[in-house]
Amino acid sequence: MDATTLHSIAGPMAMAGGLGAVFMAFYRAALRRVDWSLIPASAMIRVRWWSTHASLALRVSVILAVLGLAAFAAT
């Protein structure tokens, strides 16, 4: 793979990982302050699923950002 192709892939990969990490960090902080009685029952399934998988999504996002930055630095 040439440097131009690697450079064009690494930038969006680092950006997507960074944004994912920021959003998941905000989501985890919001979960600590949420008033559970205000969440409708129809949305509670999704909220519970994301609350159990937020740390995994945060780790994957950080790894994606680091890999993108490493590939960006390698070009």
Side-chain angles (χ1 to χ4, degrees), residues 7-70:
H7 190 75
S8 67
I9 292 171
M13 189 165 72
M15 185 184 296
L19 285 174
V22 167
F23 289 144
M24 280 296 113
F26 282 147
Y27 184 77
R28 289 184 65 186
L31 282 177
R32 291 188 206 114
R33 300 186 189 334
V34 70
D35 185 3
W36 295 99
S37 64
L38 295 176
I39 299 174
S42 60
M44 190 56 83
I45 295 169
R46 259 179 283 151
V47 170
R48 289 195 183 176
W49 188 89
W50 275 108
S51 66
T52 58
H53 292 88
S55 61
L56 176 65
L58 180 62
R59 278 185 256 139
V60 169
S61 294
V62 168
I63 290 170
L64 186 65
V66 168
L67 287 175
L69 289 174

Side-chain angles (χ1 to χ4, degrees), residues 1-11 75:
M1 183 178 312
D2 64 341
T4 306
T5 305
L6 185 62
H7 190 75
S8 67
I9 292 171
T75 58

